[in-house]
Amino acid sequence: MVIKRRAAAFAAAAVLVLTPVAACSDDGGSGSQQVTPTTSPAMTDQPLDPSAAKAEITKNWTAFFDPKTPTAERIKLLENGEQMAPVLAAFAGDKTAGQTSVKVKSIDFTSPTGANVTYDLLVAGNTALPDAKGTSVLQNDTWKVSVQTLCGLVQASGATVPGC
């Protein structure tokens, strides 16, 4: 839901920025307005460099779910990571979480700052959740695992963690 709200806010902001502005002119008191036509770039549903973005998403998702990645680094790879640090800390000592990794299978952009990610969740190298769906968001110039994805996995595990 957060992603949809963000996408809607981004779209609304884009409309405000890209909408032609009416320029008022004084034509001798007749009160008419002239509209100055402008050409705006077409909105796109992907970043400027989709290949680079896909490579970064794959790299960052792989690192985020790698049990060897330190928590401090994971915080940088998670949307709102600083706020979500307690959620990550709750899993730091979990045996299953220590054996979990992902294999990103496909990435489909939903906007210049959002993407749907299809991945396999692996536990001890074995596929535990095939073709799982998640999202990635561009935050502070970094493609990150979304809070929605992490909290979805937390809920699917049956755990109750503050922040999700």
Side-chain angles (χ1 to χ4, degrees):
M1 222 36 159
V2 171
I3 300 304
K4 288 183 182 177
R5 281 190 221 128
R6 259 201 202 122
F10 178 76
V15 168
L16 290 174
V17 171
L18 299 175
T19 301
V21 178
C24 297
S25 72
D26 186 345
D27 62 355
S30 70
S32 66
Q33 292 181 342
Q34 286 182 312
V35 175
T36 305
T38 60
T39 305
S40 59
M43 289 297 295
T44 180
D45 63 348
Q46 58 186 1
L48 292 175
D49 188 345
S51 295
K54 284 183 179 185
E56 182 179 345
I57 290 168
T58 300
K59 178 181 129 257
N60 290 351
W61 272 59
T62 302
F64 179 81
F65 287 100
D66 185 338
K68 295 177 188 132
T69 301
T71 301
E73 185 63 26
R74 287 182 184 195
I75 287 171
K76 295 175 186 176
L77 300 174
L78 177 64
E79 176 188 22
N80 302 328
E82 290 295 329
Q83 296 166 331
M84 297 300 292
V87 175
L88 292 175
F91 288 104
D94 183 77
K95 182 181 174 184
T96 303
Q99 299 176 349
T100 303
S101 61
V102 299
K103 179 183 177 192
V104 174
K105 296 175 79 174
S106 68
I107 299 165
D108 297 306
F109 293 103
T110 57
S111 74
T113 60
N116 291 325
V117 179
T118 302
Y119 62 98
D120 287 343
L121 185 70
L122 309 171
V123 177
N126 298 310
T127 302
L129 189 60
D131 297 322
K133 306 290 184 199
T135 55
S136 188
V137 296
L138 183 63
Q139 185 179 56
N140 301 324
D141 295 324
T142 300
W143 282 98
K144 301 181 179 190
V145 174
S146 71
V147 168
Q148 178 185 13
T149 298
L150 178 63
C151 288
L153 289 170
V154 168
Q155 291 167 355
S157 74
T160 303
V161 178
C164 278

